[in-house]
Amino acid sequence: MTFNEDIEFMLSKFSHEIRNPLTTLYSTIQLIEMQHPEVKDFKHWSSLNYDIEYVNQLLDELSNFAKSEKLNLTNIEMRPFLEHLSLSFAASIAQSEIEYTSEIDPYISKITVDKTKLQEVFLNLLKNAFEAAKPNSTVRLTAFSKNGKVIIKVQDTGCGISEEQLPTIFDPFVTYKKQGTGLGLAICDHIIKAHGGIITVESTPGVGTTFSVTLKAE
């Protein structure tokens, strides 16, 4: 196996081995709750459930990180793909105080990508933008073709990222969020690089952040 395949195998095995006892633990907790509903009022019980859910999330992201460079490529029309993604995201934050807008070039080029993994990238970027946005501010997606490239930008008017944090923003297990795993942006970076593209970030603290994804067009 190659170095990357060794890492993928190791992470997949680690995730599998941890998930089995974790599933048993979660099932046991659910059984206890059914037989003794009063435990829900015990001190630290909700924290215990939260910690188990967090570990499950971490294992999911470890698995995704291990598989991020394996692509199932297909040729897609970018406009309907992004429009569907935008509608789905807009519906998910409809009850919030954040305004979401999108501007997608109607003549944007076709592209050969792993559709599922690309959707994962943009939903992750949009979710991050939403979490960073201030109340009554905006999240915006723009997409267009230029010089044989497809460029998609996700922008928020949020808290921004400091100059000191920017160089490590895509590093695995590095997070500046209280409840982050440090794998979301690393997965995005791996997926885009596996497509032969690039992902960059520009940010000003207190003003907002823009992530830009550049991919080769047809």
Side-chain angles (χ1 to χ4, degrees):
M1 290 190 292
T2 66
F3 178 72
N4 284 341
E5 288 173 334
D6 285 339
I7 292 177
E8 178 185 336
F9 175 78
M10 179 187 68
L11 290 176
S12 296
K13 184 172 177 58
F14 173 81
S15 178
H16 177 75
E17 293 299 325
I18 296 297
R19 197 183 298 277
N20 285 339
L22 188 67
T23 300
T24 302
L25 176 61
Y26 182 75
S27 298
T28 302
I29 287 175
Q30 294 295 103
L31 181 61
I32 292 172
E33 285 189 355
M34 289 176 60
Q35 295 177 345
H36 303 280
E38 67 275 12
V39 300
K40 294 180 182 179
D41 298 323
F42 286 6
K43 187 177 181 180
H44 306 309
W45 188 260
S46 59
S47 296
L48 175 62
N49 279 279
Y50 171 81
D51 288 341
I52 291 175
E53 290 173 3
Y54 174 79
V55 175
N56 260 321
Q57 178 190 353
L58 180 58
L59 291 175
D60 286 341
E61 295 200 2
L62 272 175
S63 181
N64 290 338
F65 182 70
K67 300 173 183 176
S68 60
E69 295 183 357
K70 281 192 172 182
L71 304 179
N72 181 22
L73 297 175
T74 184
N75 188 260
I76 66 169
E77 296 275 1
M78 282 298 286
R79 185 182 181 188
F81 167 76
L82 290 172
E83 285 178 342
H84 175 77
L85 186 148
S86 287
L87 286 172
S88 176
F89 177 73
S92 73
I93 66 167
Q95 302 303 314
S96 74
E97 298 178 340
I98 306 302
E99 179 185 6
Y100 173 69
T101 63
S102 64
E103 183 177 353
I104 302 166
D105 180 359
Y107 303 105
I108 194 169
S109 303
K110 286 185 176 181
I111 195 167
T112 299
V113 294
D114 185 315
K115 185 176 179 181
T116 301
K117 283 189 168 63
L118 199 64
Q119 178 170 304
E120 180 183 353
V121 168
F122 291 119
L123 286 178
N124 194 310
L125 294 179
L126 287 167
K127 178 186 174 185
N128 285 351
F130 170 73
E131 291 175 350
K134 304 169 186 175
N136 301 310
S137 63
T138 61
V139 172
R140 181 172 175 80
L141 181 145
T142 57
F144 54 94
S145 298
K146 183 179 181 180
N147 299 328
K149 307 286 184 181
V150 168
I151 302 169
I152 306 99
K153 296 178 179 286
V154 175
Q155 181 180 22
D156 68 72
T157 51
C159 57
I161 304 167
S162 72
E163 187 176 349
E164 293 78 16
Q165 294 171 346
L166 282 175
T168 58
I169 201 73
F170 296 111
D171 290 354
F173 305 107
V174 173
T175 182
Y176 300 104
K177 298 192 295 185
K178 290 183 180 179
Q179 300 174 354
T181 63
L183 284 171
L185 287 176
I187 291 170
C188 292
D189 185 49
H190 274 224
I191 290 173
I192 296 304
K193 285 180 177 176
H195 282 86
I198 58 172
I199 179 170
T200 59
V201 58
E202 298 177 358
S203 188
T204 302
V207 177
T209 301
T210 300
F211 283 90
S212 301
V213 173
T214 303
L215 297 163
K216 184 179 178 181
E218 290 295 299

